[in-house]
Amino acid sequence: MSTAALTADTSSPVPLLELRGISKEFPGVKALDDVSFAVFPGEVHMLLGENGAGKSSLMKVLCGAYRADAGEFYHEGEKVAINSTADAQKLGIAVIFQEFSLVPHLDIAQNIFLGREPKGRIPGTIDRRKILADATRVLGMIGFEIDPSTIVDKLGVAQQQMVEIAKAISQNARILVMDEPSAALSDRETELLFALIARLKADGVSIVYISHRMAEVFALGDRITVLRDGRRIDGVRPADVTPDQLVRMMVGRNVDMTYPRNFADEPGEVLLEVKGLSASTGISDINIEVRRGEIVGLCGLVGSGRSEVARAIFGADPVSAGEIIFDGKAMSGEPDLAARRGIALIPESRKSEGLALLRSVGDNLVVSALRKLFPSGLFDQRRAQRTSEGLIRQLRIATPGARQIVGLLSGGNQQKVVIGKWLAAGSKLFIFDEPTRGIDVGAKSEIFALIDRLVAEGAAALMISSEQVEICHVCDRAYVMREGRIAGHLARSELTEENIVRLGMHHA
Amino acid sequence: MTDISKDAIAPPRSFLSQDAIQAFYRLLAALLICAVLAVLSDSFLSLGNILNVLRQASLTFFIASGLTLVVLTAGLDLSVGANVALSACIAGTVIHKTGSPALGILTGLACGGIVGLLNGIMVTALRIPSFIATYGMLWVLNGLTYWYMAGETLHGFPAGFRQIGSGYLFGLPIPVYLLLVFLGIGTLFAQRTIWGQEIYAIGANPVAARLSGIPVARRLLLVYAVSGTMAGLASIIFLSRLNSAEADIGESLTLPAIAAVLIGGTSLFGGVGTVFGTFIGALILTLVLNGMNLLSVSANWQPLVTGIIVILAVWLDMKTRRRAQ
Ligand SMILES: Nc1ncnc2c1ncn2[C@@H]1O[C@H](COP(=O)(O)OP(=O)(O)OP(=O)(O)O)[C@@H](O)[C@H]1O
Ligand SMILES: [Mg+2]
């Protein structure tokens, strides 16, 4: 049915690539149910849907990483088979996956050209000079200035995302799939990405773009496909819909997209006081104060030291100077001490720092709360199960059950597990490092409502987010960082996107 | 770092956990081996032989159970065999000198535990990979034991002490009771305490475990100390069973213990496995060796067969945990 509808409203009658009637089932989950999807030459096709709707699965079918249970593929009108990633590559399909696939111990250049390395003169060797030159060129195309011989392990999440983009670009694909490429990027890098997309589009490259950010949908999209619960709900053009309509299509109900916040009239007592904190990770002379009942923002460009401040407070990195006073008492030690005293860190990278991917959803959800839930030290499987099932319901984590292996959840649902982990621990201070990365619009406002409830009950939060809108909406006030230092403080009345950008830029 | 590729792991199909399913397969395999041996050999099903198998399996199990905890944290303890030798020789000397088995037992356990603790310190405070730290420890312990014994053999212990390894209670060898006790304790510790849960979490992703507020270093210390203490316990059983101690008794112990852990389904990558699995692993290993003895297969073949079983078990394990896509 959808094929006719799609071909009717386009100038180019033959899709570059078309998927018809794709179904894919995992044990306990129908990820895709009779989904049809077409990509036309030179368009940016937005793929939308809630967490767990099946977006990434559909793209994995498209690029041959998953084999569909049913369905057909057409390339320029001709029936083709895509049974492996090699098949897809031959059709000119390249993918930026939601979960990074970089090899941590190799450098940037090696990662970009992994498996396609230029051969050196001696057989079996790599032409090191050429690979570095090529990498520099590709990195230049996306405006990412970095030494291509940097080991990937040393990069932050945003930088890794840029490498993933460079890697996909270098394949000179005709169809480029980007699965939430901007989720880890700040505004500046996102702008670079948009400029790149415009150039690729002008060259006739088709782009499939997955995002939970409404603004991007309207800024970039030529066409929108919405999935819900594994089914294709509709295909529309951005000009014909409003954001609210789109959200209703995705969620199937009305969602409040403003972030509700009940600001306290008067801030509570000081919970965290950071005085002159420095660490070898590149932060110096950090002074921060967080009071009960407050959500305090920590802004700045990617690489300005926000995550490093969070880690130093939590004891994850050694401190070289300064003082951390929590709840009236000085604190210094490992993360287990900070956790026992009542600090929670929701870390930046869910895959490497947040989750034990091979363990179950339930195991991951209770791991930070073991001491609180089982004060006797005896672990009770049923109690753990009940707790995690409660969290699964509260955060609407899409999973067949608490026993599901967490690595098999969709990206957004994994992120919900990382947040849920600390909810049962009874912490007093929550440090969120990009908490809503990859979380859908509906869930995002639910999570902010949850944080609002936590602080209303006497907790406090320190929140890092690259989405300045979020900071402006939910924070009582914010610190802005620049080059490892606090560049300024913005009270509630001064908290605007312009002010954040102004303070965060290099030569303010 | 653990990496989960798109479809590497099968989700649990039923209400049973992966661990329960894997343990069930192993139990089946052990029973199958029993059935085959019962058909091939008349003497296999005799009470004497069965008790012998259990007693033999218990010796491997004591060492392997502590080792299981280490492997669950993605570590390895290569020093267990050498630890048994040193602990046995020191405990034996104490019994000879003082005439008190109780004091000897305590010394043996303490010696094993201290060696384990030293391993733990190397792994946590000095951040030496466990494989290398305990490999070095193996040499150090061997050196100490050979120097200490200077080619001597300790021989002849009080009859009461010898009961531990060779005595019977209600028709069952005493080591079998100890086996059941430590199987119970080990399983309860791993599955029913928060320490056990933390150990699994550390093995699955040490970085995430640390950032989840788990005192990783302290748990690792504990795990290596337990592994060493279990080696100390094994040394007492050996001493009492053999009624003698020599410097080289540990040399043939480490590799079978590792084999039992692996056959039992504990992953060297950490985070996956059970103490019960290791018990079955020790049982399978002993059954096969026992069967080869009964069928008069030359002892020269035993290492080869052990190797094949380990490879087969780990391969099957990976296969059943991975969904055929
Ligand atoms: N390999 C797998 N095994 C089992 N279930 C899977 C697997 N891959 C995906 N799923 C399930 O299929 C559903 C769709 O997942 P998918 O990753 O496609 O969602 P998504 O739309 O990309 O969500 P998000 O916005 O959170 O990234 C989810 O319920 C997920 O748990
Ligand atoms: Mg996804």
Side-chain angles (χ1 to χ4, degrees):
Chain A
M1 52 126 231
S2 54
T3 328
L6 275 177
T7 30
D9 68 356
T10 175
S11 46
S12 167
V14 187
L16 186 52
L17 190 74
E18 190 181 356
L19 279 62
R20 286 192 206 153
I22 301 288
S23 293
K24 174 79 190 168
E25 196 166 343
F26 298 108
V29 194
K30 184 120 204 181
L32 295 170
D33 185 2
D34 192 23
V35 175
S36 295
F37 181 77
V39 188
F40 293 89
E43 73 167 358
V44 178
H45 195 142
M46 311 300 291
L47 187 55
L48 302 189
E50 280 185 289
N51 293 136
K55 305 178 297 291
S56 299
S57 301
L58 183 64
M59 289 305 107
K60 283 180 186 163
V61 167
L62 183 145
C63 74
Y66 284 171
R67 189 182 288 212
D69 302 335
E72 294 170 344
F73 302 85
Y74 294 86
H75 183 255
E76 293 180 327
E78 241 173 85
K79 188 164 176 190
V80 290
I82 301 183
N83 291 326
S84 66
T85 46
D87 289 348
Q89 265 160 22
K90 270 186 229 125
L91 296 175
I93 300 170
V95 189
I96 302 167
F97 287 108
Q98 183 175 14
E99 304 300 338
F100 299 154
S101 52
L102 300 176
V103 184
H105 305 299
L106 296 183
D107 67 22
I108 294 178
Q110 285 168 320
N111 266 289
I112 292 178
F113 294 102
L114 197 64
R116 304 174 288 131
E117 295 90 348
K119 299 220 164 31
R121 250 168 309 173
I122 305 165
T125 62
I126 292 171
D127 185 344
R128 188 73 193 150
R129 199 171 310 156
K130 180 156 168 27
I131 198 173
L132 287 177
D134 287 354
T136 310
R137 188 176 46 77
V138 176
L139 291 167
M141 277 171 65
I142 58 171
F144 181 33
E145 285 163 32
I146 191 162
D147 178 3
S149 58
T150 313
I151 302 294
V152 161
D153 215 10
K154 302 254 180 300
L155 302 182
V157 179
Q159 294 171 314
Q160 290 192 26
Q161 181 70 67
M162 295 301 274
V163 176
E164 288 278 0
I165 294 171
K167 183 175 167 184
I169 298 295
S170 71
Q171 297 171 28
N172 298 320
R174 291 191 60 204
I175 300 177
L176 187 54
V177 176
M178 302 186 170
D179 196 346
E180 304 195 22
S182 59
L185 302 184
S186 67
D187 292 355
R188 206 176 70 93
E189 288 131 346
T190 308
E191 272 166 33
L192 292 173
L193 176 66
F194 284 13
L196 173 76
I197 289 175
R199 257 179 296 155
L200 289 171
K201 203 173 135 176
D203 292 344
V205 177
S206 310
I207 288 160
V208 183
Y209 192 103
I210 300 177
S211 176
H212 291 295
R213 295 185 182 175
M214 271 303 149
E216 298 184 351
V217 175
F218 289 91
L220 285 178
D222 296 313
R223 185 195 309 276
I224 301 170
T225 293
V226 179
L227 297 182
R228 188 197 321 151
D229 295 334
R231 276 186 292 273
R232 179 177 178 279
I233 297 301
D234 210 349
V236 291
R237 290 185 171 278
D240 305 335
V241 284
T242 64
D244 287 326
Q245 284 171 323
L246 270 183
V247 172
R248 213 168 314 127
M249 281 194 225
M250 287 189 322
V251 187
R253 62 194 149 85
N254 282 320
V255 169
D256 179 11
M257 285 201 321
T258 61
Y259 307 126
R261 180 77 213 283
N262 304 305
F263 289 102
D265 302 330
E266 225 161 277
E269 67 206 69
V270 176
L271 186 61
L272 174 78
E273 211 180 338
V274 176
K275 287 188 200 159
L277 185 74
S278 300
S280 61
T281 47
I283 50 170
S284 50
D285 196 24
I286 303 292
N287 294 290
I288 285 178
E289 189 186 275
V290 181
R291 290 165 175 271
R292 286 181 188 271
E294 277 189 325
I295 303 178
V296 176
L298 194 56
C299 330
L301 296 175
V302 168
S304 60
R306 301 168 306 173
S307 301
E308 286 74 11
V309 169
R311 288 177 59 91
I313 294 172
F314 194 61
D317 293 329
V319 167
S320 56
E323 236 188 323
I324 299 164
I325 299 162
F326 181 70
D327 217 4
K329 276 188 293 217
M331 189 178 73
S332 77
E334 280 280 298
D336 65 287
L337 176 75
R340 247 179 305 139
R341 294 275 309 270
I343 303 183
L345 174 71
I346 286 83
E348 183 183 19
S349 159
R350 59 175 167 256
K351 195 173 167 183
S352 64
E353 303 173 319
L355 297 171
L357 287 172
L358 295 171
R359 300 192 82 209
S360 73
V361 173
D363 288 338
N364 275 281
L365 279 171
V366 298
V367 73
S368 293
L370 287 171
R371 210 148 293 279
K372 165 103 189 192
L373 289 172
F374 312 104
S376 66
L378 293 180
F379 178 76
D380 174 3
Q381 183 64 52
R382 260 172 315 177
R383 171 117 204 253
Q385 179 92 6
R386 270 203 308 279
T387 306
S388 42
E389 276 166 3
L391 288 165
I392 288 170
R393 267 195 307 277
Q394 187 185 4
L395 292 164
R396 294 188 209 235
I397 300 172
T399 169
R403 288 235 168 131
Q404 176 74 315
I405 288 160
V406 80
L408 296 180
L409 298 192
S410 81
N413 285 298
Q414 290 183 17
Q415 184 64 28
K416 290 183 186 177
V417 175
V418 179
I419 295 175
K421 239 169 66 157
W422 286 101
L423 294 182
S427 308
K428 296 180 216 158
L429 173 70
F430 292 83
I431 306 177
F432 293 102
D433 195 348
E434 305 279 2
T436 58
R437 167 174 308 149
I439 299 241
D440 68 46
V441 265
K444 216 179 244 189
S445 63
E446 281 165 24
I447 283 170
F448 283 128
L450 186 94
I451 299 177
D452 181 55
R453 250 198 332 278
L454 285 173
V455 301
E457 285 161 7
L462 184 64
M463 194 173 87
I464 299 172
S465 174
S466 292
E467 287 192 62
Q468 287 150 10
V469 202
E470 289 183 359
I471 298 270
C472 294
H473 273 86
V474 305
C475 290
D476 292 76
R477 53 199 181 80
Y479 296 93
V480 184
M481 292 194 65
R482 182 177 54 209
E483 290 170 356
R485 290 166 180 276
I486 301 283
H489 174 262
L490 296 169
R492 171 95 207 126
S493 55
E494 309 162 316
L495 201 50
T496 61
E497 291 187 47
E498 295 90 79
N499 281 342
I500 295 176
V501 171
R502 187 177 50 79
L503 279 173
M505 287 307 275
H506 289 267
H507 304 287
Chain B
M1 191 90 309
T2 45
D3 184 87
I4 179 164
S5 58
K6 50 197 184 305
D7 45 18
I9 311 294
R13 269 159 299 222
S14 62
F15 59 93
L16 282 175
S17 72
Q18 276 281 325
D19 284 339
I21 294 169
Q22 297 296 327
F24 177 71
Y25 284 152
R26 290 201 158 63
L27 214 50
L28 272 186
L31 289 177
L32 196 72
I33 294 171
C34 287
V36 170
L37 290 179
V39 172
L40 291 181
S41 159
D42 297 334
S43 41
F44 174 74
L45 277 183
S46 75
L47 184 64
N49 187 54
I50 301 241
L51 292 183
N52 189 31
V53 165
L54 282 175
R55 191 207 312 265
Q56 209 60 45
S58 71
L59 290 175
T60 307
F61 174 76
F62 291 133
I63 306 176
S65 60
L67 187 60
T68 305
L69 298 183
V70 173
V71 176
L72 279 177
T73 67
L76 197 57
D77 186 348
L78 293 175
S79 69
V80 280
N83 194 352
V84 170
L86 179 67
S87 301
C89 291
I90 290 183
T93 315
V94 169
I95 296 176
H96 270 184
K97 291 257 159 73
T98 66
S100 158
L103 212 55
I105 292 172
L106 282 181
T107 326
L109 292 179
C111 173
I114 289 170
V115 168
L117 209 55
L118 289 176
N119 282 331
I121 290 172
M122 285 195 283
V123 171
T124 54
L126 308 184
R127 292 170 189 274
I128 303 173
S130 64
F131 177 86
I132 296 164
T134 58
Y135 182 67
M137 182 59 93
L138 181 165
W139 288 97
V140 170
L141 295 179
N142 273 345
L144 278 177
T145 315
Y146 279 96
W147 164 76
Y148 182 71
M149 296 302 283
E152 301 278 316
T153 303
L154 289 168
H155 192 78
F157 294 103
F161 178 70
R162 291 179 51 196
Q163 284 292 313
I164 301 173
S166 12
Y168 286 80
L169 193 67
F170 306 118
L172 278 181
I174 288 177
V176 175
Y177 288 99
L178 288 172
L179 169 101
L180 292 176
V181 167
F182 281 95
L183 177 58
I185 293 178
T187 302
L188 282 180
F189 176 76
Q191 314 299 327
R192 292 278 173 266
T193 68
I194 62 178
W195 288 2
Q197 292 297 308
E198 290 173 346
I199 285 166
Y200 279 96
I202 291 169
N205 183 348
V207 177
R210 176 163 176 262
L211 293 182
S212 302
I214 294 173
V216 175
R218 259 178 288 151
R219 293 299 170 267
L220 288 179
L221 277 182
L222 173 76
V223 157
Y224 284 92
V226 167
S227 174
T229 310
M230 289 307 289
L233 177 77
S235 78
I236 301 297
I237 316 267
F238 264 83
L239 198 60
S240 127
R241 173 143 178 75
L242 301 176
N243 195 22
S244 72
E246 267 177 288
D248 63 356
I249 59 169
E251 277 168 15
S252 57
L253 297 177
T254 306
L255 293 182
I258 295 175
V261 172
L262 292 181
I263 296 172
T266 300
S267 159
L268 277 178
F269 297 110
V272 176
T274 57
V275 176
F276 183 75
T278 297
F279 163 61
I280 306 283
L283 204 58
I284 289 178
L285 199 61
T286 318
L287 279 172
V288 170
L289 298 188
N290 177 257
M292 292 174 72
N293 282 336
L294 292 181
L295 301 176
S296 342
V297 180
S298 155
N300 295 336
W301 288 102
Q302 290 185 357
L304 183 118
V305 173
T306 304
I308 291 175
I309 294 174
V310 168
I311 293 171
L312 214 64
V314 172
W315 178 67
L316 280 174
D317 205 35
M318 283 162 51
K319 226 172 132 61
T320 50
R321 282 180 189 269
R322 184 180 314 204
R323 189 177 50 236
Q325 179 93 21

